[in-house]
Amino acid sequence: MRVLFIGDVYGPPGLAAVQAYLRAERDNYDFVIANGENCAGGFGITRAAFRTLRDAGVDVVTMGNHTFDQPEAAELLEETPRLVRPLTYPRGTPGVGFVTLPTRDGSRITVGQVMGRIFMEAMDDPFEAADAIVEAAGPEGPVIIDVHAEATSEKRVLGYHLEGRASAVIGTHTHVQTADEALRQGTASITDVGMTGVEYSSIGMRFEEVYHRMRTKQPRRFRPAVGTATLCAVALTLEGRRARAIERIRWHAGSPIPSSHALHGRRT
Ligand SMILES: [Fe+2]
């Protein structure tokens, strides 16, 4: 089974890059996941942005610390299990922390999300939440876990914790793709899959306002960067629960799409 995991989609340029990439590549994948917590101009998700991702061919959208930035998010989370927020939110939070769905090749895949606790808002234990996702998935089928966290160490240790039990442990949130993709005991991992947004920016926001705030310590409203986005993703090849390959994708929208042999990655 081939699964595509697209990194944090940022604002309209990010959404446009997803549309363009999947128009050409969707048929090469059995299932597509995208992190969408920044797709509404950097802050959360709207119903319209979620629809855009779904219409482009994304099967499940994961979120993160910006889950509830938009007022309609809570309602949207109750409407569809294809929008997954971190399982580590307090009990009673709207929506689901994982979902099991059929794939194009006839099997079933579980997609879940946990949020880290280092340099982030206090949340439930991501290790226990990840265990709960694996347990709920049962023994069959792939399990993909989005680890939304700030600290590299925490994402690496969660990957270690899930070795041999999850198919893939994919880091999100820090927006810069790392070159540490790995395969161990059938578990693919990467510390951060990267952002799908305008690369010449402060991880998605225009430099000007962020620079002003950092230099003067005076608030200025952040604005999303405009321009052509770069899509960051990983392509996973899976056999049952086990991952056989993880390949990094970093595609500047408008340039030719790389053929699979040009991708960087690990294979068994
Ligand atoms: Fe985030």
Side-chain angles (χ1 to χ4, degrees):
M1 184 195 302
R2 295 266 296 164
V3 174
L4 183 71
F5 190 113
I6 300 171
D8 310 34
V9 181
Y10 208 108
L15 289 168
V18 172
Q19 286 174 315
Y21 191 80
L22 291 181
R23 210 175 292 128
E25 290 290 307
R26 181 63 185 86
D27 282 351
N28 294 328
Y29 295 96
D30 298 294
F31 203 83
V32 177
I33 304 159
N35 183 293
E37 74 144 3
N38 301 120
C39 62
F43 299 106
I45 194 164
T46 57
R47 195 172 265 105
F50 177 73
R51 196 20 64 206
T52 301
L53 289 171
R54 290 282 294 129
D55 288 348
V58 175
D59 296 292
V60 166
V61 177
T62 56
M63 295 296 287
N65 52 308
H66 290 294
T67 300
F68 295 102
D69 284 3
Q70 299 293 331
E72 63 210 79
E75 219 174 84
L76 188 58
L77 278 159
E78 296 289 13
E79 283 167 22
T80 172
R82 288 177 183 268
L83 186 61
V84 170
R85 47 81 177 163
L87 186 60
T88 42
Y89 271 106
R91 196 169 297 170
T93 298
V96 295
F98 61 88
V99 65
T100 301
L101 291 167
T103 64
R104 198 180 59 175
D105 77 344
S107 46
R108 290 172 74 74
I109 189 170
T110 299
V111 181
Q113 186 179 44
V114 301
M115 197 144 79
R117 294 183 292 189
I118 299 175
F119 309 131
M120 298 193 80
E121 216 177 317
M123 284 270 158
D124 287 354
D125 183 347
F127 294 88
E128 284 181 12
D131 289 346
I133 294 167
V134 172
E135 198 174 315
E140 310 274 313
V143 177
I144 313 291
I145 300 185
D146 175 342
V147 176
H148 199 78
E150 189 77 45
T152 305
S153 57
E154 192 174 29
K155 294 196 240 191
R156 295 280 291 178
V157 175
L158 270 155
Y160 170 75
H161 177 70
L162 289 161
E163 261 175 35
R165 299 192 294 137
S167 313
V169 181
I170 309 296
T172 59
H173 177 69
T174 44
H175 290 194
V176 177
Q177 188 178 74
T178 55
D180 64 339
E181 75 278 13
L183 274 175
R184 297 212 196 287
Q185 298 187 59
T187 301
S189 66
I190 187 165
T191 301
D192 203 280
V193 61
M195 173 183 72
T196 298
V198 177
E199 213 167 47
Y200 187 69
S201 69
S202 172
I203 60 168
M205 288 295 176
R206 270 167 46 117
F207 277 124
E208 288 85 342
E209 292 81 11
V210 182
Y211 185 76
H212 178 269
R213 188 191 284 192
M214 286 184 179
R215 292 302 306 269
T216 66
K217 300 297 171 190
Q218 290 165 38
R220 186 170 278 184
R221 203 180 156 168
F222 290 171
R223 290 159 62 190
V226 292
T228 306
T230 299
L231 176 139
C232 287
V234 287
L236 303 163
T237 306
L238 311 170
E239 264 175 44
R241 176 77 37 105
R242 293 183 77 82
R244 294 294 184 203
I246 175 169
E247 293 156 302
R248 276 185 284 122
I249 296 167
R250 193 156 158 265
W251 173 69
H252 303 281
S255 62
I257 291 175
S259 61
S260 62
H261 65 262
L263 301 175
H264 305 279
R266 291 282 167 92
R267 292 175 176 279
T268 54

